[in-house]
């Protein structure tokens, strides 16, 4: 009987200690493709090669490409609304191309 009591109490103490360890050590969650794209584009804008390499390792190259493309689309649309211009005009302006 006492063996069973020790077993149950030992399990409770073990779970409590495990909970303490997980509470004090923060878990790192994986980066998603949009976080990777934002970090990558920001690093490119700031010409920070180390951060570019770090962010490009967070997701697959295909996912990073998709994320960067999505970020570019959203940025052009936001700027177009802000400037009251077409997305095409904003994109050409950002790239230094003549107006179409």
């Amino acid at each position: 009987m006492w063996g069973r009591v020790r077993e149950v109490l030992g399990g409770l103490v073990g779970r409590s200690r495990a909970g303490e360890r997980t509470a004090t050590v923060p878990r790192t969650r994986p980066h998603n493709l949009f976080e990777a794209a934002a970090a990558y584009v920001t690093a490119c804008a700031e010409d920070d090669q180390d951060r570019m390499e770090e962010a490009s390792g967070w997701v697959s190259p295909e996912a990073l490409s998709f994320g960067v493309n999505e970020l570019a689309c959203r940025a052009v649309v936001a700027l177009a609304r802000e400037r009251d211009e077409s997305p095409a005009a904003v994109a050409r302006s950002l790239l230094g191309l003549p107006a179409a």
Side-chain angles (χ1 to χ4, degrees), residues 19-88:
E20 289 171 10
R21 280 195 298 272
T22 58
T24 58
V25 177
R27 284 187 163 172
T28 56
R29 63 178 179 75
H31 299 280
N32 70 38
L33 66 100
F34 296 115
E35 289 173 326
Y40 183 82
V41 169
T42 302
C44 288
E46 296 171 352
D47 198 27
D48 187 337
Q49 188 66 35
D50 292 335
R51 283 182 33 223
M52 286 169 50
E53 290 174 10
E54 179 186 358
S56 66
W58 292 350
V59 295
S60 71
E62 295 83 9
L64 182 62
S65 177
F66 174 80
V68 169
N69 182 59
E70 186 66 22
L71 178 60
C73 290
R74 291 179 187 197
V76 167
V77 168
L79 281 173
R81 287 179 183 155
E82 184 178 293
R83 295 179 180 181
D84 197 29
E85 296 179 5
S86 72

